[in-house]
Amino acid sequence: METTQSDVPAFEAICPAAPLFEALSGQWKTQLIHVLGAQGPQRFGALRRIVPRISPKMLTQRLRELEGDRLIWREQTQTIPPQVTYGLTETGMRVHDVLTGLEPVARDWTRERSIDTEG
């Protein structure tokens, strides 16, 4: 059955978290939230080193999206060159806490998947 635009309000009625899920969708977003929650505010270059596979263009895009969704904040100092620091908002920290709560499930899931591929 194909979904239509009219199905969206019905889905949001049964899943109030749908808008947040949408904000978190996209490669690297949850990883960035994890890093900022676990290690505190970081500058752009530090994020590049911590998440080395992300391109500078993608990192910029994802940080802008997360900032637009008010999950992270951005602070720029008026130095030469400018220093930009990113950190989690209060809501971003709450999301980080929920994501961290998934770690035991993730470990079990990883173990189950490795058993399935072995046998």
Side-chain angles (χ1 to χ4, degrees):
M1 180 174 172
E2 187 175 321
T3 58
T4 65
Q5 190 64 22
S6 64
D7 295 329
V8 173
F11 179 70
E12 288 182 2
I14 62 169
C15 183
L20 178 60
F21 293 158
E22 180 68 26
L24 295 173
S25 68
Q27 190 174 19
W28 306 111
K29 287 185 176 183
T30 54
Q31 291 92 329
L32 291 168
I33 289 172
H34 174 76
V35 167
L36 292 171
Q39 298 190 13
Q42 300 289 320
R43 292 184 43 202
F44 186 90
L47 288 170
R48 283 281 330 258
R49 287 188 295 279
I50 296 167
V51 188
R53 293 182 302 158
I54 191 170
S55 71
K57 179 181 177 182
M58 182 61 69
L59 178 56
T60 298
Q61 180 180 339
R62 293 303 187 228
L63 289 170
R64 285 180 181 160
E65 291 169 359
L66 289 167
E67 182 184 10
D69 288 325
R70 298 177 186 223
L71 295 171
I72 67 168
W73 51 261
R74 177 184 188 273
E75 180 179 275
Q76 181 173 334
T77 61
Q78 300 302 317
T79 59
I80 298 177
Q83 294 182 0
V84 180
T85 304
Y86 299 91
L88 293 180
T89 62
E90 185 176 324
T91 300
M93 198 62 197
R94 291 175 63 202
V95 170
H96 172 264
D97 293 344
V98 170
L99 294 174
T100 301
L102 290 173
E103 289 176 1
V105 176
R107 281 191 291 274
D108 293 345
W109 177 74
T110 300
R111 189 171 34 257
E112 289 169 7
R113 289 181 55 211
S114 67
I115 291 170
D116 289 346
T117 58
E118 292 173 1

